[in-house]
Amino acid sequence: MSKETLKEKTAKGIAWGAVNNGTVQLLNLVFGIVLARRLSESDYGILALLTIFTTLAGCIQAAGFSQALANLKPPTLRDYSAVFWFNTLAGFSMYILLYIAAPLIAAFFDLPELTNVARLTFLCIPVSALGIVPNAKLWIELRNRELAIAAILSLALSGCVGIWLAYHGYGYWSLAWQQLLFISLSSIIKWCFTRWRPLLPIDMSPIRSMFRFSSKLLLTNMLTVTSQHVLTFIFGKLFPIGVVGQFNQANKWNTMGSSFISNTMQQVAQPVLTQASVGAEAVPARTETVPARTGSEPAQDNVESPLQRQQRVFRKMLRFTSFVVFPLMLGLALVAREFIVLTITDRWLPCVPLLQMLCIGGAFMPLHTLYQNFIISCGRSDIYLRCIALMIVLQIVVTLSLSSFGIMVMVAAFSALNVLFTLCWHFALRRVTPFPLLSALKDTMPFFIVALLVMATTYFLTVQLSSLNSHLSSLNSQLLTLLLSRILIAAALYVGLMKLLRSKTLEECIKFRL
């Protein structure tokens, strides 16, 4: 088999990452629609309150060692084995602690039913610990095809079980069993793909050499999880469980949209950026330029330094991410009402304005992910840690200070903060590499502006179209017509404008083949 270049590995990694996340999001969409039609707001609210505990425990058991392994260039079997035994010990220890703490969590939220469902849900922690190293091994080796197969099979089977339980009256238990089954199947399939086995006797000595790097990531990941779920936790204490369920539903759809891009890039960003920092690569000099506003690349010398190569790879990822995520998330905000009513019924209408506000901030989250991976690939987990710490402090202060104004204002402020914090990530990156702000703005803002103009134009065009279709026999028919019209018009306008502006990113997407 011929040796693939870094560019080919990156392209295939992104392609399989897109297949993985696209299929996963499609399955989540289908299962989410079916379950939301069957389950109540309270069912979703109860499971949402437990998410922060399971994810925080997951961060502790993983301890940032997956990223630390990726930075070893390359990790050895001894390194993988040490991380596996650490993850396993930490996972089972965390489960015992949370099992004991379950009644206290239920008392804090004044929901006695949380105790038993929490103890089942927390089983995800030790089970996922067993799959961390196989997942890391596939990720580091850019084997995204295997990751895609594992995710798709696990989600398909667990989703079917969850639906069966929901239709047989198990309520929030169906969500808990679905989650546990998904993690169990995913871990088993990844073990089968890697055919990897840990070494015996147990040797933890490699952990010490990785801990200086991974410890910062551990704390950072804990803060990241906290920032992602802080609103749910706050709302669980301030508002009725039904309101928490409405917010959770809105946040779920927002996360599905933004994570499609974030997870796709996450699967390749750090390994590729790390590999790009090793050695130089000969590239042909460019004799023509493309306007910067359409995603052009700066002229390159015949031989790049590792730093120049990293920056070139990063900028290309930044442009591709902006090209996709801005129309996707702003488009979701545009069709939020039609989408929610048609899929999960008007019972969930209160979550529509929440979803629209979250989509604005969610559009910038994949950019945060890229900045974070670049910083980590340069070995500066300390900078990553400080930025995440600052972000969560600002989130808590801003949202709590506005609690008297209600949930809408709190969510709007939270979303605005996510947008503005992109600048903080950029200036943090400047401490690692001399990457000008103007270059970042040229790589991202043209796509945001074009997407914003497209969605605004589509809205005004389809408002008139909606009134023309008022003769249709049912509200659902009107909403479906409006939904499809907005999607088709927005897509045509966006692609048309990108072609008119001669977007290099669009040309590369059209030319690319799996």
Side-chain angles (χ1 to χ4, degrees):
M1 182 182 292
S2 59
K3 185 177 181 180
E4 291 181 320
T5 65
L6 180 61
K7 181 178 181 180
E8 291 170 337
K9 287 182 178 179
T10 305
K12 286 188 176 181
I14 291 175
W16 275 110
V19 171
N20 179 3
N21 288 288
T23 308
V24 165
Q25 299 298 3
L26 179 61
L27 289 172
N28 274 325
L29 175 68
V30 174
F31 294 140
I33 290 170
V34 176
L35 289 171
R37 284 174 170 267
R38 189 68 182 179
L39 302 177
S40 69
E41 297 93 328
S42 298
D43 291 331
Y44 278 93
I46 286 172
L47 264 294
L49 296 178
L50 297 175
T51 303
I52 191 169
F53 298 100
T54 55
T55 49
L56 278 175
C59 288
I60 294 172
Q61 70 178 9
F65 286 121
S66 291
Q67 293 95 328
L69 286 169
N71 269 25
L72 288 180
K73 309 173 187 177
T76 65
L77 179 59
R78 185 165 163 263
D79 296 323
Y80 281 122
S81 297
V83 171
F84 171 79
W85 292 119
F86 177 88
N87 293 155
T88 302
L89 178 63
F92 281 90
S93 299
M94 290 303 304
Y95 177 71
I96 293 171
L97 290 174
L98 286 172
Y99 183 94
I100 297 171
L104 300 177
I105 296 171
F108 178 81
F109 290 110
D110 195 23
L111 293 169
E113 60 267 39
L114 268 182
T115 300
N116 290 329
V117 72
R119 286 172 169 170
L120 175 67
T121 303
F122 293 155
L123 274 174
C124 294
I125 299 164
V127 173
S128 66
L130 300 174
I132 290 174
V133 166
N135 182 80
K137 189 170 177 60
L138 294 172
W139 171 59
I140 291 168
E141 296 171 0
L142 293 175
R143 295 171 62 184
N144 287 344
R145 182 178 70 89
E146 288 85 349
L147 289 172
I149 293 171
I152 292 167
L153 285 178
S154 303
L155 182 56
L157 293 172
S158 62
C160 290
V161 172
I163 290 174
W164 186 88
L165 291 172
Y167 272 83
H168 283 76
Y170 284 87
Y172 51 77
W173 287 102
S174 59
L175 297 173
W177 278 108
Q178 180 191 16
Q179 183 179 350
L180 179 58
L181 185 58
F182 169 76
I183 292 174
S184 302
L185 291 172
S186 179
S187 296
I188 292 170
I189 295 171
K190 289 169 186 174
W191 272 93
C192 294
F193 278 132
T194 58
R195 299 180 181 275
W196 173 85
R197 299 295 181 270
L199 294 175
L200 286 172
I202 297 175
D203 177 14
M204 291 289 196
S205 56
I207 294 294
R208 290 192 291 271
S209 61
M210 289 185 276
F211 190 70
R212 183 177 179 183
F213 177 83
S214 66
S215 60
K216 298 184 182 70
L217 287 177
L218 166 60
L219 183 55
T220 303
N221 291 339
M222 291 176 65
L223 292 174
T224 301
V225 165
T226 304
S227 70
Q228 292 170 346
H229 300 285
V230 65
L231 283 190
T232 301
F233 189 84
I234 292 172
F235 293 163
K237 192 64 178 173
L238 295 179
F239 303 113
I241 194 65
V243 174
V244 179
Q246 290 284 354
F247 171 76
N248 176 255
Q249 194 68 232
N251 194 43
K252 181 184 74 173
W253 298 115
N254 166 64
T255 303
M256 283 178 62
S258 62
S259 66
F260 169 71
I261 305 302
S262 292
N263 293 344
T264 298
M265 303 310 297
Q266 177 77 24
Q267 288 182 332
V268 299
Q270 192 195 340
V272 167
L273 288 168
T274 300
Q275 292 179 40
S277 68
V278 182
E281 179 183 76
V283 293
R286 299 185 183 273
T287 57
E288 60 180 1
T289 58
V290 181
R293 67 180 181 274
T294 64
S296 62
E297 296 182 16
Q300 303 286 332
D301 296 326
N302 286 337
V303 177
E304 295 176 302
S305 69
L307 180 60
Q308 289 173 325
R309 189 184 186 197
Q310 265 192 315
Q311 287 194 9
R312 176 172 59 83
V313 172
F314 174 73
R315 291 192 67 183
K316 181 166 286 191
M317 289 181 174
L318 199 62
R319 288 192 293 272
F320 174 77
T321 301
S322 302
F323 171 78
V324 177
V325 75
F326 288 133
L328 176 66
M329 297 306 296
L330 296 181
L332 179 57
L334 175 68
V335 301
R337 179 176 176 272
E338 297 78 41
F339 174 77
I340 291 296
V341 174
L342 285 170
T343 55
I344 57 177
T345 74
D346 56 4
R347 176 164 57 93
W348 295 95
L349 265 177
C351 78
V352 169
L354 298 175
L355 173 57
Q356 291 172 323
M357 288 183 287
L358 288 170
C359 282
I360 305 300
F364 288 83
M365 298 310 293
L367 303 185
H368 293 193
T369 299
L370 283 179
Y371 275 104
Q372 292 162 8
N373 278 277
F374 197 170
I375 292 169
I376 292 172
S377 71
C378 295
R380 295 303 304 270
S381 56
D382 57 323
I383 295 177
Y384 181 22
L385 170 61
R386 287 196 290 270
C387 285
I388 290 292
L390 175 61
M391 184 174 185
I392 190 170
V393 168
L394 290 175
Q395 286 174 335
I396 293 173
V397 170
V398 168
T399 52
L400 284 180
S401 64
L402 296 172
S403 60
S404 61
F405 293 94
I407 189 171
M408 296 295 181
V409 174
M410 295 172 74
V411 172
F414 181 85
S415 187
L417 182 60
N418 285 340
V419 174
L420 295 174
F421 207 80
T422 310
L423 292 174
C424 182
W425 282 115
H426 178 82
F427 288 116
L429 182 63
R430 287 291 304 273
R431 298 191 60 184
V432 176
T433 180
F435 182 41
L437 177 60
L438 182 59
S439 296
L441 293 175
K442 286 180 178 180
D443 289 338
T444 57
M445 286 299 100
F447 298 109
F448 177 75
I449 293 170
V450 170
L452 192 62
L453 289 174
V454 164
M455 299 312 155
T457 302
T458 303
Y459 173 78
F460 287 110
L461 288 175
T462 53
V463 163
Q464 299 299 322
L465 182 62
S466 178
S467 63
L468 291 175
N469 283 292
S470 59
H471 65 279
L472 292 175
S473 59
S474 69
L475 176 61
N476 281 351
S477 298
Q478 294 180 41
L479 291 175
L480 181 60
T481 301
L482 186 57
L483 175 68
L484 295 177
S485 300
R486 285 181 168 175
I487 291 174
L488 293 174
I489 292 172
L493 286 175
Y494 186 73
V495 173
L497 279 174
M498 288 293 107
K499 277 185 169 292
L500 186 64
L501 295 172
R502 298 180 181 178
S503 169
K504 185 73 174 177
T505 304
L506 176 62
E507 292 174 7
E508 291 176 347
C509 290
I510 293 173
K511 292 176 181 177
F512 177 75
R513 289 179 175 82
L514 276 173

